[in-house]
Amino acid sequence: MSLQIREERVAIYPGSFDPVTLGHIDIIERAAKQFDRLIVAVLNNLSKNPLFTVEERADLLRQVTAHLPNVEVDIFRDLLANYIRQKEAQVIVRGIRTVSDFEYELQIATINSKLNSDAETIFMMTNPKYSYLSSSVVKEIGHFGGDLTEFVTPEVERAMRLKFKGNGRE
Ligand code: ADP
């Protein structure tokens, strides 16, 4: 009798998630069905001026993915190509909304495969319901006190209100 040991399929969904939107959650839920484990990895990026700290972003992600048992949230400060090796993941998941997303994502995916030939990037098309949605749009609406219920979960909306209040916006 031969014992078959199947390799666990692990995917990483990296991003800024500043903050997580319903568009991200849709990708997370769909990707979680395709893999044994999905690691949502918050990038500590150097170039952007974030609203939330990486720890706050990871904390919000943990709250909004609590219903998904095979999803975990992590923070990474390394090159993605190194990070996926460290996590023994095979796949990088990214979402595509527009043609301009595609051009950018193609460049990043090519660089990642050059840095780590085992890194396979898989693109998931946005749910048309959320094709217009980005963290920056959400921050802009939040900044001016607009209604966020169609874009983020109630816990994210609450966290944003507190941030903008802290900044003296309300
Ligand atoms: P990054 O700074 O790495 O682009 P984001 O948090 O903005 O981080 O996005 C992470 C990933 O999620 C990217 O692949 C992005 O294209 C995808 N994404 C963001 N918003 C949506 C959405 N509404 N629908 C589908 N994919 C999305």
Side-chain angles (χ1 to χ4, degrees), residues 27-71:
I27 296 282
I28 293 170
E29 287 175 343
R30 284 157 57 204
K33 288 187 193 147
Q34 304 300 326
F35 299 95
D36 298 315
R37 276 170 63 213
L38 177 71
I39 303 172
V40 183
V42 184
L43 169 68
N44 192 8
N45 37 2
L46 311 168
S47 52
K48 293 185 180 174
N49 185 13
L51 176 64
F52 291 100
T53 66
V54 275
E55 286 77 17
E56 288 169 334
R57 285 182 254 161
D59 192 47
L60 286 171
L61 273 162
R62 281 191 195 99
Q63 294 178 43
V64 303
T65 58
H67 62 297
L68 301 166
N70 65 334
V71 172

Coordinates of all heavy atoms in Angstrom, one line a residue, residues 27-71:
I27 N -11.5 38.9 -2.6 CA -10.4 38.1 -3.1 C -9.9 37.1 -2.0 O -9.7 35.9 -2.4 CB -9.2 39.1 -3.5 CG1 -9.5 40.0 -4.6 CG2 -7.9 38.2 -3.8 CD1 -9.5 39.5 -6.0
I28 N -9.9 37.5 -0.8 CA -9.4 36.6 0.3 C -10.4 35.4 0.4 O -10.0 34.2 0.4 CB -9.4 37.3 1.7 CG1 -8.3 38.4 1.6 CG2 -9.2 36.3 2.8 CD1 -8.3 39.3 2.9
E29 N -11.7 35.6 0.4 CA -12.7 34.5 0.5 C -12.5 33.6 -0.7 O -12.6 32.4 -0.6 CB -14.1 35.1 0.6 CG -14.4 35.7 1.9 CD -15.7 36.4 2.1 OE1 -16.4 36.7 1.0 OE2 -16.1 36.7 3.2
R30 N -12.4 34.1 -1.9 CA -12.3 33.3 -3.1 C -11.0 32.5 -3.1 O -10.9 31.3 -3.4 CB -12.5 34.1 -4.4 CG -13.9 34.5 -4.6 CD -14.1 35.7 -5.5 NE -13.4 35.6 -6.7 CZ -13.0 36.6 -7.5 NH1 -13.1 37.8 -7.1 NH2 -12.4 36.4 -8.6
A31 N -9.9 33.2 -2.7 CA -8.6 32.5 -2.8 C -8.5 31.4 -1.7 O -7.9 30.4 -1.9 CB -7.4 33.5 -2.5
A32 N -9.1 31.7 -0.5 CA -9.1 30.7 0.6 C -9.7 29.4 0.1 O -9.4 28.3 0.6 CB -9.8 31.3 1.8
K33 N -10.6 29.4 -0.9 CA -11.3 28.2 -1.3 C -10.3 27.4 -2.2 O -10.5 26.2 -2.5 CB -12.5 28.5 -2.2 CG -13.7 29.0 -1.3 CD -14.9 29.2 -2.2 CE -16.0 30.0 -1.4 NZ -16.8 30.8 -2.3
Q34 N -9.3 28.1 -2.8 CA -8.5 27.4 -3.8 C -7.2 26.8 -3.2 O -6.5 26.0 -3.8 CB -8.0 28.4 -4.9 CG -9.1 29.1 -5.6 CD -10.0 28.2 -6.3 OE1 -9.6 27.1 -6.8 NE2 -11.3 28.5 -6.4
F35 N -6.9 27.1 -1.9 CA -5.7 26.7 -1.3 C -5.9 26.1 0.1 O -6.9 26.4 0.7 CB -4.7 27.9 -1.2 CG -4.3 28.4 -2.5 CD1 -5.0 29.5 -3.0 CD2 -3.3 27.8 -3.3 CE1 -4.7 30.1 -4.3 CE2 -3.0 28.3 -4.6 CZ -3.7 29.5 -5.0
D36 N -5.0 25.3 0.6 CA -5.1 24.7 1.9 C -5.0 25.8 3.0 O -5.7 25.8 3.9 CB -4.0 23.6 2.2 CG -4.2 22.4 1.2 OD1 -5.4 22.0 1.0 OD2 -3.2 22.0 0.6
R37 N -4.0 26.7 2.7 CA -3.8 27.8 3.6 C -3.5 29.1 2.8 O -2.9 29.0 1.8 CB -2.5 27.6 4.5 CG -2.7 26.7 5.7 CD -1.4 26.4 6.3 NE -0.7 27.5 6.8 CZ 0.7 27.6 6.8 NH1 1.4 26.6 6.3 NH2 1.3 28.7 7.2
L38 N -4.1 30.2 3.3 CA -3.8 31.5 2.7 C -3.3 32.4 3.7 O -3.9 32.6 4.8 CB -5.1 32.0 2.1 CG -5.0 33.4 1.5 CD1 -4.3 33.3 0.1 CD2 -6.4 34.0 1.2
I39 N -2.1 32.9 3.4 CA -1.5 33.9 4.4 C -1.7 35.3 3.8 O -1.2 35.6 2.7 CB 0.0 33.6 4.6 CG1 0.2 32.2 5.1 CG2 0.6 34.6 5.5 CD1 1.7 31.7 5.1
V40 N -2.4 36.1 4.5 CA -2.6 37.5 4.0 C -1.5 38.3 4.7 O -1.3 38.3 5.9 CB -4.0 38.1 4.5 CG1 -4.1 39.5 3.9 CG2 -5.1 37.2 4.0
A41 N -0.6 38.8 3.9 CA 0.7 39.4 4.4 C 0.7 40.9 4.2 O 0.6 41.4 3.0 CB 1.9 38.7 3.7
V42 N 0.7 41.6 5.3 CA 0.7 43.1 5.2 C 2.2 43.6 5.0 O 3.1 43.2 5.8 CB 0.2 43.7 6.5 CG1 0.1 45.2 6.4 CG2 -1.1 43.1 6.9
L43 N 2.3 44.3 3.9 CA 3.6 44.8 3.6 C 3.9 46.1 4.3 O 3.1 47.0 4.3 CB 3.7 45.1 2.0 CG 4.8 45.8 1.5 CD1 6.1 45.0 1.6 CD2 4.6 46.2 0.0
N44 N 5.1 46.1 4.9 CA 5.5 47.3 5.6 C 6.3 48.2 4.6 O 7.5 48.2 4.5 CB 6.5 46.9 6.7 CG 6.8 48.0 7.7 OD1 6.2 49.1 7.6 ND2 7.7 47.8 8.6
N45 N 5.5 48.8 3.7 CA 6.1 49.5 2.6 C 6.7 50.9 3.0 O 6.2 51.6 3.9 CB 5.3 49.7 1.3 CG 3.8 49.9 1.7 OD1 3.5 50.0 2.8 ND2 3.0 50.0 0.6
L46 N 7.8 51.2 2.3 CA 8.6 52.3 2.7 C 8.1 53.6 2.0 O 8.2 54.7 2.5 CB 10.0 52.1 2.3 CG 10.6 50.8 2.8 CD1 12.0 50.5 2.1 CD2 10.8 50.7 4.3
S47 N 7.5 53.4 0.8 CA 7.2 54.6 0.0 C 5.9 55.3 0.3 O 5.8 56.5 0.1 CB 7.2 54.2 -1.5 OG 6.4 53.1 -1.7
K48 N 4.9 54.6 0.8 CA 3.6 55.2 1.0 C 3.5 55.9 2.4 O 4.2 55.5 3.3 CB 2.5 54.2 0.9 CG 2.4 53.7 -0.6 CD 1.2 52.7 -0.8 CE 1.2 52.2 -2.2 NZ 0.1 51.2 -2.4
N49 N 2.6 56.8 2.5 CA 2.4 57.5 3.8 C 1.1 56.9 4.4 O 0.0 57.3 4.0 CB 2.2 59.0 3.5 CG 2.1 59.7 4.8 OD1 2.3 59.2 5.9 ND2 1.7 61.0 4.7
P50 N 1.2 55.9 5.2 CA 0.0 55.1 5.6 C -0.9 55.8 6.6 O -0.5 56.6 7.4 CB 0.6 53.8 6.2 CG 1.9 54.2 6.7 CD 2.4 55.4 5.9
L51 N -2.2 55.4 6.6 CA -3.2 55.9 7.6 C -3.0 55.0 8.8 O -3.0 55.6 9.9 CB -4.6 55.8 7.0 CG -5.7 56.2 8.0 CD1 -5.7 57.7 8.4 CD2 -7.1 55.9 7.3
F52 N -3.0 53.7 8.6 CA -2.9 52.8 9.8 C -1.4 52.2 9.8 O -0.8 52.0 8.8 CB -3.8 51.6 9.6 CG -5.3 52.0 9.7 CD1 -6.1 52.2 8.6 CD2 -5.9 52.2 10.9 CE1 -7.4 52.6 8.7 CE2 -7.2 52.5 11.1 CZ -8.0 52.7 9.9
T53 N -1.0 51.9 11.0 CA 0.3 51.2 11.2 C 0.1 49.8 10.6 O -1.0 49.3 10.5 CB 0.7 51.1 12.7 OG1 -0.2 50.3 13.4 CG2 0.8 52.5 13.3
V54 N 1.2 49.1 10.4 CA 1.1 47.7 9.9 C 0.4 46.9 10.9 O -0.4 46.0 10.6 CB 2.5 47.1 9.5 CG1 2.9 47.4 8.1 CG2 3.6 47.4 10.5
E55 N 0.7 47.1 12.2 CA 0.0 46.3 13.3 C -1.5 46.5 13.3 O -2.2 45.6 13.4 CB 0.6 46.6 14.6 CG 2.0 46.1 14.9 CD 3.1 46.9 14.2 OE1 2.9 48.1 13.8 OE2 4.3 46.4 14.1
E56 N -1.9 47.8 13.1 CA -3.3 48.1 13.1 C -4.0 47.5 11.8 O -5.1 46.9 11.9 CB -3.5 49.6 13.0 CG -3.2 50.3 14.3 CD -3.2 51.8 14.2 OE1 -2.9 52.4 13.1 OE2 -3.4 52.5 15.2
R57 N -3.3 47.5 10.7 CA -3.8 46.9 9.5 C -4.0 45.4 9.6 O -5.0 44.8 9.2 CB -2.9 47.2 8.3 CG -3.0 48.7 7.8 CD -2.1 48.9 6.7 NE -0.9 49.6 7.0 CZ 0.2 49.7 6.3 NH1 0.3 49.0 5.2 NH2 1.2 50.4 6.7
A58 N -3.0 44.8 10.3 CA -3.0 43.3 10.5 C -4.1 43.0 11.4 O -4.9 42.0 11.2 CB -1.7 42.8 11.0
D59 N -4.3 43.8 12.4 CA -5.3 43.6 13.4 C -6.7 43.6 12.8 O -7.6 42.8 13.0 CB -5.2 44.6 14.5 CG -6.0 44.3 15.7 OD1 -5.9 43.1 16.1 OD2 -6.8 45.1 16.2
L60 N -6.9 44.6 11.9 CA -8.2 44.8 11.2 C -8.4 43.5 10.3 O -9.5 43.0 10.2 CB -8.3 46.1 10.4 CG -8.5 47.3 11.3 CD1 -8.3 48.6 10.4 CD2 -9.9 47.3 12.0
L61 N -7.4 43.1 9.6 CA -7.5 42.0 8.7 C -7.9 40.7 9.5 O -8.7 39.9 9.1 CB -6.2 41.7 8.0 CG -6.0 42.5 6.7 CD1 -4.5 42.5 6.3 CD2 -6.8 41.9 5.6
R62 N -7.3 40.6 10.7 CA -7.6 39.4 11.6 C -9.1 39.4 11.9 O -9.8 38.4 11.9 CB -6.8 39.4 12.8 CG -5.4 38.8 12.6 CD -4.6 38.5 13.8 NE -3.2 38.4 13.3 CZ -2.3 39.4 13.4 NH1 -2.6 40.5 14.1 NH2 -1.1 39.2 12.9
Q63 N -9.6 40.6 12.2 CA -11.0 40.7 12.6 C -11.9 40.4 11.4 O -12.9 39.6 11.6 CB -11.4 42.1 13.1 CG -10.7 42.5 14.4 CD -11.0 43.9 14.8 OE1 -12.1 44.4 14.7 NE2 -10.0 44.7 15.2
V64 N -11.6 40.9 10.2 CA -12.5 40.6 9.1 C -12.4 39.3 8.4 O -13.2 38.9 7.6 CB -12.4 41.8 8.0 CG1 -12.7 43.1 8.7 CG2 -11.1 41.8 7.3
T65 N -11.3 38.5 8.9 CA -11.2 37.2 8.3 C -11.4 36.1 9.3 O -11.1 34.9 9.1 CB -9.8 37.0 7.6 OG1 -8.8 37.2 8.6 CG2 -9.5 37.9 6.5
A66 N -11.9 36.5 10.5 CA -12.1 35.5 11.6 C -13.0 34.4 11.2 O -12.8 33.3 11.8 CB -12.6 36.3 12.8
H67 N -13.8 34.6 10.2 CA -14.7 33.5 9.8 C -14.1 32.5 8.9 O -14.7 31.5 8.4 CB -16.0 34.1 9.1 CG -15.7 34.9 7.9 ND1 -14.9 36.0 7.9 CD2 -16.0 34.7 6.6 CE1 -14.8 36.5 6.7 NE2 -15.5 35.7 5.9
L68 N -12.8 32.7 8.5 CA -12.2 31.8 7.5 C -11.0 31.1 8.2 O -9.9 31.6 8.4 CB -11.6 32.7 6.4 CG -12.6 33.5 5.6 CD1 -11.9 34.6 4.8 CD2 -13.5 32.6 4.7
P69 N -11.3 29.8 8.5 CA -10.3 29.0 9.3 C -9.0 28.8 8.7 O -8.0 28.6 9.4 CB -11.0 27.7 9.6 CG -12.2 27.6 8.7 CD -12.5 29.0 8.2
N70 N -8.9 28.8 7.4 CA -7.6 28.5 6.7 C -6.8 29.8 6.3 O -5.9 29.8 5.5 CB -7.7 27.6 5.5 CG -8.5 28.1 4.4 OD1 -9.4 29.0 4.6 ND2 -8.3 27.7 3.2
V71 N -7.3 30.9 6.9 CA -6.6 32.2 6.6 C -5.9 32.7 7.8 O -6.4 32.7 8.9 CB -7.7 33.3 6.1 CG1 -7.1 34.6 6.0 CG2 -8.3 32.8 4.8

